[in-house]
């Protein structure tokens, strides 16, 4: 079984959806197709939900109607037969009438999740209807019947496997399944989601549940590039990556993959292939357990980082100091990305500042606390230490003009992390790109 996930751009218009149908039909065997919402839809739904929260129901209603018209147009363009055009319009209306119903009453956080879910529910229903029109047998599976997160917002692997297997067994004659990325239920059975960009995560969780041969992430770029193509010119796709390298890049800002999407595939040893729907013949990136090549492979950057320094003159003598510091972060379920220490101070970085105030308050008895917001982590990934001497030297040489706030090297054989001011990020990425110029 193969999992094929198509992102927002790949299903972003009637034209693109038709291309996806072609791609899907070209690959033989059993497949589960995981779709995102059409590009821009989730952003629009977030905007609508924000107006509903602010009780600005008339603006929310206007936006809903505007989006409905957009979908009518795509429906018209997607279907050829009148009977299917009518079915598409009814389907679109059912979702938009549901959205409109939220403009009548007060709005809660649970309802926000239900609003956000409409993007994926719409794209998959329209796509499946299109497959029906072109005579391609397929079965639409609702992710809300099998995808679930637990009390810690982690995937409930047992539930997912049990329920997805049951649904597949009930439709054992089908070869082609279509389902939603991103959406799930929480432990209370309410509609929830796997966070923005979460369709990649859905695809790998589904891959693990069905013990897939491969998880394919089809997007608008020909694989994982060696630097951020939104910022740096002349980036190029990386043919092979190990799970660890890919996970590191995804976690530290390579938007092409959801940060959590690689770990489940790694644990189940399922290859993940990144491919472009815009150039399907390009080889893309294959992510497996194999480590290949040496030296620097790729660079990514993650914004929104907050650095916290705790200065304590007594630290050197006080064993147990770090434990106390870490316990405070643990108490507030805030994970630390980078850490550096000196005799008198320890600096850590976090990206979730929900409990920043409480964390600072709890740290203060242990020393002077300094906080720097608007930081970015630059992550250099590759196979270091083993053969290549001078990798760190080359990184620092390339960055001679950029002030570096923190450095982390040696934690693993494949990562150098640097903390810089976000305003210096662009320059840092461009300068580091020299490392690829041979
Ligand atoms: P999808 O909607 O298919 O999930 P995304 O927009 O989430 O697509 O991810 C693809 C985008 O990720 C690309 O268009 C590219 O701009 C961006 N991106 C950021 N860093 C990288 C990288 N290192 N390699 C490839 N793409 C990247
Ligand atoms: N539609 C969701 C988003 O825009 C999930 C995804 O595309 O992966 O975040
Ligand atoms: Mg994405």
């Amino acid at each position: 079984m193969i999992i094929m996930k198509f992102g927002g751009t790949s299903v972003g218009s009637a034209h693109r959806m038709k291309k996806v149908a072609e791609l899907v039909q070209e690959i033989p065997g059993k497949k589960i197709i995981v779709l995102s919402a059409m590009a821009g839809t989730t952003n629009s739904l977030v905007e609508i939900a924000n107006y509903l929260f602010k009780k600005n129901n008339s603006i929310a209603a206007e936006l809903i109607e505007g989006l409905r018209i957009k979908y009518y147009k795509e429906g018209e363009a997607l279907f050829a037969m009148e009977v299917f055009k009518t079915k598409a319009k009814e389907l679109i209306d059912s979702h938009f009438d549901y959205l409109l119903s939220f403009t009548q009453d007060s709005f809660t956080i649970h309802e926000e999740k239900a609003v956000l879910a409409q993007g994926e529910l719409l794209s998959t229903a329209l796509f499946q209807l299109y497959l029906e029109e072109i005579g391609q047998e397929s079965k639409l599976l609702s992710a809300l019947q099998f995808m679930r997160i637990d009390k810690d917002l982690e995937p409930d692997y047992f539930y997912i496997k049990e329920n997805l297997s049951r649904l597949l067994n009930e439709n054992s004659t089908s070869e082609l399944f279509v389902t939603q990325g991103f959406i799930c239920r929480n432990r209370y059975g309410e509609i929830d989601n796997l966070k923005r960009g979460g369709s990649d995560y859905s695809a790998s969780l589904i891959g693990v549940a069905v013990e897939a041969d491969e998880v394919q992430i089809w997007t608008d770029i020909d694989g994982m590039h060696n630097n951020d193509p939104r910022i740096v010119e002349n980036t190029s796709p990386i043919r092979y990556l190990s799970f660890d390298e890919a996970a590191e890049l995804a976690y530290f800002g390579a938007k092409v993959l959801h940060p959590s999407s690689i770990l489940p595939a790694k644990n189940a040893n399922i290859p993940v292939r990144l491919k472009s729907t815009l150039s399907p013949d390009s080889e893309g990136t294959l992510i497996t357990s194999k480590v290949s090549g040496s030296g620097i492979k790729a660079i990514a950057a993650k914004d929104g980082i907050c650095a916290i320094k705790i200065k304590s003159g007594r630290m050197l003598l006080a064993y147990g100091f770090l434990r106390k510091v870490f316990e405070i972060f643990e108490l507030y379920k805030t994970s630390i990305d980078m850490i550096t220490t000196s005799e008198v101070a320890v600096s850590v970085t976090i990206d979730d500042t929900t409990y920043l105030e409480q964390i600072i308050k709890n740290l203060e008895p242990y020393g002077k606390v300094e906080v720097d917001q608007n930081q970015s982590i630059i992550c250099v990934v590759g196979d270091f230490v083993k053969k290549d001497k001078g990798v760190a030297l080359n990184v620092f040489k390339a960055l001679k003009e950029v002030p570096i706030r923190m450095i982390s090297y040696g934690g693993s054989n494949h990562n150098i992390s640097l903390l810089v001011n976000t305003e210096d990020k662009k320059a840092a990425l461009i300068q580091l790109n020299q490392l690829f110029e041979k």
Side-chain angles (χ1 to χ4, degrees), residues 399-405 419-421 424:
L399 287 179
K400 60 179 181 287
E401 306 293 336
V402 178
I404 300 170
R405 164 82 169 73
L419 190 72
V420 301
N421 253 316
D424 295 323

Side-chain angles (χ1 to χ4, degrees), residues 5 197 200 255-256:
K5 175 260 168 176
D200 305 328
K255 191 198 169 215
V256 67

Side-chain angles (χ1 to χ4, degrees), residues 8-9 12 37-47 67 70-71 196:
T9 317
M38 294 176 88
T41 298
T42 311
N43 286 347
S44 301
L45 294 171
V46 168
E47 200 187 352
L67 197 58
K70 217 180 112 189
Y71 272 83
R196 295 305 304 272

